[in-house]
Every structure is written in C-alpha cells, then in structure tokens.
Amino acid sequence: MNDTSRLTRDIQVLPDDVRKALESGKLMAAYEERTAYQRNDYLAWIDRARRPETRQKRLDQMLEELTKGGVYMGMRHNPSA
C-alpha cells in the first residue's frame, strides 16, 4: 500500500504537524492503511489551503474520517469501513 510508483500527481511529504496530529490521535495506523493515492490526496488537499483556518479544518476532516472509517473526502469508502 505504500507504493507510490503509480501515482501521477506530485508525491507529498508528510508534514510534521500532520504527523503529530496523527500520532496524538493514535491514527497513524489508520492513515497508513489507506492507499497511497488517498494519503497523497489528503496531504495535497491540506497543503493547498491558503488560510491557516482552512488548513486546520481540512486536517480535522481527515482525522475525523480516519477515526470514523468508511469515509474518504466526504464520500462513502467501503474498504475502510
């Protein structure tokens, strides 16, 4: 699942603040269980935020979806349910 060789978008590096949020929420395993494209898309989406408030809102959404399972970017995602 960590193979990023087939991704066509720029590969995103896990920022320190996102890593800390995942670790403090004990969500790193749930994050790592997601496919490479999902992890990359989450990070790119969070990074594209122009305002700190928007970045935090997006990070919070990712954390909530990882906690809940079965959701990816606000859409139903059965493999993670």
Side-chain angles (χ1 to χ4, degrees):
M1 266 197 229
N2 291 322
D3 181 15
T4 59
S5 64
R6 296 179 54 198
L7 297 180
T8 57
R9 297 180 182 171
D10 291 341
I11 305 300
Q12 304 297 310
V13 177
L14 184 62
D16 287 338
D17 65 324
V18 175
R19 177 182 306 282
K20 287 177 185 174
L22 289 166
E23 289 171 350
S24 69
K26 299 186 184 341
L27 292 169
M28 188 60 81
Y31 174 77
E32 290 176 348
E33 288 173 2
R34 296 296 179 112
T35 62
Y37 82 85
Q38 287 181 349
R39 293 190 313 268
N40 201 57
D41 279 355
Y42 269 134
L43 297 180
W45 179 59
I46 291 167
D47 189 56
R48 284 193 306 269
R50 293 184 180 174
R51 298 181 316 160
E53 302 83 23
T54 303
R55 179 182 171 81
Q56 187 61 52
K57 181 179 176 184
R58 291 177 181 185
L59 174 57
D60 291 344
Q61 179 179 331
M62 180 189 76
L63 297 172
E64 181 180 330
E65 290 179 0
L66 291 173
T67 299
K68 184 177 179 181
V71 183
Y72 167 66
M73 296 288 204
M75 299 175 289
R76 184 168 178 78
H77 184 258
N78 291 333
S80 65

